[in-house]
């Protein structure tokens, strides 16, 4: 973790407590997770307790306290996806990656998460890999979608 | 610059674009369009235009709501109506370009219909389309028509004229007009918007704040995403009108982080508004100053609750607090705050553009105007729709949605997300308005409408919602934190075949306690899916509990996959695809699933060729033992 990058993020925000969430979001955007040292630094700069930073970091699902994989695989488990077989897509992704939801592969290539809803319900079930949204998924399409991400994004 | 001058400039810019002799190609590139493959279609269009050396402008627009037909592509030839094509692939996009532009063949076989004035022989008008015909698009008036990255198009089409009208009126008169329109909050609870504004205006304390609640967390709902992606100006204009009416100088738009395209379009719109003097200090010379900030959510469903959302903007965990005082008295940083939903703000701008009586002319007695819904699940024509309140569920699901996607009987319609209820087919003639839905035990909610057919297990659906709300409970109120957990455990027991006859009563009792003992809307409404399924689908609970049977063949612990020997053609496909090698058999030998190894992933059923359809699910009955004859060689032909 480079101190300058962290300092730049902290400098670009004011020191009011309302900045806490956006600051943490930016740190996570930069590092992929919230390193403990960074959270301590944030507490100092925004003049709040370390416990406050930690409580915010653990309250919101977006924040990760451990490093995540290079590619973020998110399987939508919203209602529309659920009634159209989203759990089977999740099963297939778990099988394909060999990890459960919420985990990261050993080679740090993929993190797998279940997400409540992407709002692409009309195309349920949906999988999102990094920034690409894949609709009308089937369990057998999961592998090709994962391969896609290695090739650098949505090809179809 | 005065607004008249801005409008003049936008009009001429926009008209120049419209009047061009060039062909215009319009591609629906909202999140849904992109998920369906709009980007590949876009590339194919560009390649085809280049190949034939054709000059055409390409515009990317938001969602027109025909989600089932995504990706959508429209072609407008000069002097011709806009021709809309659905389910476009890269291949047929290129073909359409060649046929229509080079050979003047509009391809009626691929076209959905025409939009706007004029007609093309052999192609219907989309006005008569079953999805668009019954709709009244007020909040969604520009979605799918204009390029959300170009403010001129919006101003040329009437945007900000409502603001100008409001600015010519006293703030009290604006509030009176919103009250007269009958507008109620579109976030779900349905509180009268004008009353909320008045309370905030009259509350002591400065400064006052406005907040747009764009934390659309209900799974199965995407109306707000589509509106922000397709017409951010409708929402932003509404907020400016609110700022004038309430006397606020600062506002926040709280958007969930899962909506990156909505955030991008909001940022673009705000930057263009700054350039035009439509936000910031002394807006269009009127003396009104209003500053807007975008706050990204961080993934907490409870932040859709207004007091939790305010806490989140303040940089705290999103934990609700007791009301009263309501945010209109003491909201953001303890100051009077109006917080309205995206769609509400979108309606506000329309009301100020066209008047309260025009808006009040639509809708039902106590639910005026229109409501947007995301019509999804097992419905043939999924989509984003906006209809006058008071339409029946049947009209929405059958006339607009085309019935179930499977053709099987409809079982339920779920409204209002995890806070709502599951309404049975017998209530299809229910009028969709705030009061009728509440009476039936559901809620309007923000507008998610999920259709379930026979293959949906209602006990599993209740369990699904509880899984969601239990993990999203902020934990402040014990009945919600622990009650939802206990309810979930009971539902897990029932769906796993461990339910007892007492389970249902205990579940109902817990549900009532959670409802009564929780501070915020999340806890108070979390039991609704359980209570409504207990009320309307009791027989399904009983089948799970007494017969250990899942009638919809969904609950994994109660079903078994079975290959019907008389249908199996020993093609080896399921056998090769089974991830746990639980299927035995061989060439010319009927395949059999070893139930002790089967993980019930359903792969065999998915891959079994449709013409054989040999794999079936059984529940509540033993798997027939394979006879030696069946196990032996299968006779070819």
């Amino acid at each position: 973790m480079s101190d300058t990058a962290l300092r730049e993020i902290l400098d670009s925000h004011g020191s009011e407590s309302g900045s806490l969430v956006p600051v943490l979001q930016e740190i996570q955007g930069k590092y992929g997770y919230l390193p403990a040292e960074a959270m301590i630094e944030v507490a100092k700069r925004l003049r709040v307790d370390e416990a406050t930073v930690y409580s915010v970091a653990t309250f919101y699902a977006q924040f990760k306290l451990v490093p995540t994989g290079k590619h973020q695989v998110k399987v939508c488990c919203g209602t529309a996806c659920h009634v159209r077989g989203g759990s089977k897509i999740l099963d297939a992704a778990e099988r394909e990656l060999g990890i459960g939801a919420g985990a990261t592969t050993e080679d740090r290539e993929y993190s797998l998460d279940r997400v409540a809803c992407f709002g692409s319900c009309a195309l349920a079930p949906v999988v999102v890999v990094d920034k690409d949204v894949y609709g009308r998924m089937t369990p057998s399409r999961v592998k090709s979608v994962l391969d896609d991400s290695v090739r650098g994004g949505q090809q179809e | 610059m005065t607004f008249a001058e801005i409008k003049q400039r936008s009009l001429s810019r926009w008209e120049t674009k419209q009047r061009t002799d060039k062909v215009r190609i319009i591609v629906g590139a909202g999140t849904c369009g992109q998920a369906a493959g709009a980007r590949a279609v876009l590339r194919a269009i560009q390649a085809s235009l280049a190949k034939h050396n054709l000059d055409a402008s390409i515009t990317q627009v938001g969602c027109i709501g025909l989600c089932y037909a995504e990706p959508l592509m429209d072609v407008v030839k000069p002097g011709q109506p806009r021709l809309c094509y659905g389910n476009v692939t890269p291949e047929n996009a290129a073909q359409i370009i060649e046929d229509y532009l080079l050979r003047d063949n509009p391809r009626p076989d691929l076209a959905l219909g025409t939009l706007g004035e004029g007609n093309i022989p052999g192609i219907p008008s989309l006005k008569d389309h079953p999805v668009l015909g019954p709709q009244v698009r007020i909040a969604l008036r520009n979605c799918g028509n204009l390029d959300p990255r170009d403010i001129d198009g919006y101003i040329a089409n009437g945007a900000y004229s409502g603001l100008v009208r409001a600015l010519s009126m006293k703030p009290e008169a604006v509030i009176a007009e919103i009250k007269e329109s009958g507008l109620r909050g579109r976030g779900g609870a349905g509180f009268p918007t004008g009353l909320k504004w008045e309370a905030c205006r009259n509350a002591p304390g400065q400064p006052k704040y406005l907040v747009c609640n764009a934390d659309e967390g209900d799974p199965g709902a995407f109306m707000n995403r589509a509106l922000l992606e397709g017409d951010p100006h409708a929402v932003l204009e509404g907020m400016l009108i609110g700022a004038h009416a309430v006397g606020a100088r600062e506002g926040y738009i709280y958007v969930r982080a899962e909506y990156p395209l909505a955030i991008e379009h909001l940022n673009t719109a705000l930057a263009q508004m700054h350039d035009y003097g439509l936000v910031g200090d002394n807006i269009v010379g009127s003396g009104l100053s209003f500053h807007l900030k975008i706050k990204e959510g961080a993934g907490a469903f409870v932040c859709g609750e207004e007091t939790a959302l305010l806490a989140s903007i303040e940089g705290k965990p999103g934990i609700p607090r007791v009301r009263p005082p309501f945010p209109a008295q003491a909201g953001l940083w303890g100051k009077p705050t109006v917080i309205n939903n995206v769609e509400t703000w979108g309606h506000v701008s329309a009301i100020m553009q066209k008047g309260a009586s025009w808006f009040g002319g639509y809708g039902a007695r106590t639910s005026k105007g229109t409501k947007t819904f995301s019509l999804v699940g097992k419905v043939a024509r999924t989509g984003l729709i906006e209809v006058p309140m008071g339409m029946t569920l049947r009209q929405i699901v059958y006339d607009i949605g085309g019935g179930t996607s499977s053709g099987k009987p409809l079982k339920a319609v779920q409204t209002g997300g995890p806070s709502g209820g599951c309404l049975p087919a017998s209530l299809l003639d229910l009028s969709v308005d705030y009061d009728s839905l509440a009476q039936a035990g559901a809620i309007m909610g923000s507008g998610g409408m999920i259709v379930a057919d026979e293959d949906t297990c209602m006990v599993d659906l209740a369990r699904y919602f509880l899984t969601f709300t239990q993990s999203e409970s902020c934990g402040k109120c014990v009945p919600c934190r622990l009650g939802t957990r206990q309810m979930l455990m009971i539902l897990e027991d029932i769906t796993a075949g461990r339910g007892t006859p007492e389970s249902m009563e205990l579940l109902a009792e817990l549900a009532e306690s959670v409802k009564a003992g929780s501070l915020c809307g999340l806890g108070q409404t979390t039991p609704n899916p359980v209570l409504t399924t207990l009320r309307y689908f009791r027989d399904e609970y009983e089948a799970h509990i007494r017969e250990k049977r899942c009638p919809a063949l969904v609950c994994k612990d109660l079903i078994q996959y079975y290959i019907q020997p008389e249908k199996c053609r020993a093609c080896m496909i399921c056998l090769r695809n089974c991830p746990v090698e639980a299927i035995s058999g061989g060439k010319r030998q009927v395949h059999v699933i070893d139930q002790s190894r089967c993980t019930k992933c359903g792969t065999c059923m998915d891959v079994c060729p449709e013409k054989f359809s040999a794999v079936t699910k059984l529940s509540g009955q033993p798997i027939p033992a394979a006879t030696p004859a069946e196990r032996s060689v299968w006779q070819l032909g």
Side-chain angles (χ1 to χ4, degrees), chain B residues 64-65 131-143 183 186 223 227 343 346-347 350 358-359 362 368-375 383-389 391 396 400 447:
Chain B
I64 200 169
V131 174
L132 292 175
Q135 292 194 47
V136 178
R137 292 170 84 87
I138 294 178
L140 302 175
R141 54 195 178 271
N142 293 319
C143 288
L183 177 63
R186 295 300 195 246
M223 302 76 50
L227 180 52
E343 187 183 340
H347 278 309
W358 163 79
F359 184 80
Y362 295 106
K368 293 294 181 194
T370 54
K371 177 80 195 79
T372 59
F373 292 101
S374 61
L375 186 56
L384 169 72
I385 60 166
E386 180 170 358
V387 294
M389 297 234 218
M391 202 175 245
I396 293 177
I400 297 179

Side-chain angles (χ1 to χ4, degrees), chain B residues 26-30 60-66 70 72 74 82 115 132 135 137-148 154 157 222-235 265 342 346 372 384-386:
Chain B
I26 302 162
V27 178
Q60 296 184 42
V61 297
C63 170
I64 200 169
L66 299 164
E70 294 277 12
L72 290 158
D74 303 356
R82 179 170 159 188
L115 276 165
L132 292 175
Q135 292 194 47
R137 292 170 84 87
I138 294 178
L140 302 175
R141 54 195 178 271
N142 293 319
C143 288
N145 293 324
L146 298 174
D147 178 357
Y154 291 85
N157 283 280
F222 58 91
M223 302 76 50
N224 295 349
R225 172 182 66 68
L227 180 52
L228 290 172
E229 285 179 4
D231 188 359
H233 294 287
V235 179
H265 287 185
V342 170
T372 59
L384 169 72
I385 60 166
E386 180 170 358

Side-chain angles (χ1 to χ4, degrees), chain B residues 138-279:
Chain B
I138 294 178
L140 302 175
R141 54 195 178 271
N142 293 319
C143 288
N145 293 324
L146 298 174
D147 178 357
R149 296 173 192 84
D150 177 17
I151 192 172
D152 289 323
Y154 291 85
I155 295 177
N157 283 280
Y160 299 103
S161 62
L163 169 69
V164 171
R165 189 171 152 248
L167 288 173
S168 72
M169 295 158 67
K170 285 217 155 71
E172 291 79 6
V174 175
I175 293 177
E177 177 132 3
I178 297 297
K179 272 180 163 172
E180 190 200 325
S181 74
L183 177 63
R184 295 170 67 175
R186 295 300 195 246
F191 190 81
T193 306
L195 283 181
K196 192 186 267 188
W197 289 18
E198 190 174 58
C200 182
R201 178 165 183 84
N202 294 338
Q206 286 290 346
K208 293 181 163 74
Y209 294 102
L210 293 192
V211 175
C212 172
N213 183 348
D215 193 43
E216 183 175 51
D218 279 3
F222 58 91
M223 302 76 50
N224 295 349
R225 172 182 66 68
L227 180 52
L228 290 172
E229 285 179 4
D231 188 359
H233 294 287
V235 179
L236 295 167
E237 179 182 0
M239 291 190 78
L240 293 178
I241 293 166
H244 172 60
V246 169
R249 292 173 58 94
E250 249 182 89
Y252 291 90
I253 304 170
Y254 188 93
V255 198
R256 64 196 294 249
E258 289 85 347
Y259 288 176
L261 194 63
I263 294 169
E264 184 192 320
H265 287 185
L266 273 173
N267 277 318
T268 307
L270 275 175
Q272 291 176 348
M273 285 167 74
H274 267 289
D275 291 345
Y276 281 46
L278 280 163
V279 72

Side-chain angles (χ1 to χ4, degrees), chain A residues 47-63:
Chain A
R47 291 190 207 98
V48 291
D49 299 333
E50 286 171 16
T52 305
V53 178
Y54 188 73
S55 82
V56 167
T58 49
F59 181 84
Y60 294 100
Q62 192 189 39
F63 296 125

Side-chain angles (χ1 to χ4, degrees), chain A residues 6-26:
Chain A
L6 179 62
R7 211 172 305 124
E8 270 171 29
I9 292 172
L10 286 165
D11 287 344
S12 67
H13 289 271
S15 59
E16 70 267 30
S17 60
S19 308
L20 180 51
V21 174
V23 164
L24 294 180
Q25 282 170 329
E26 237 178 274

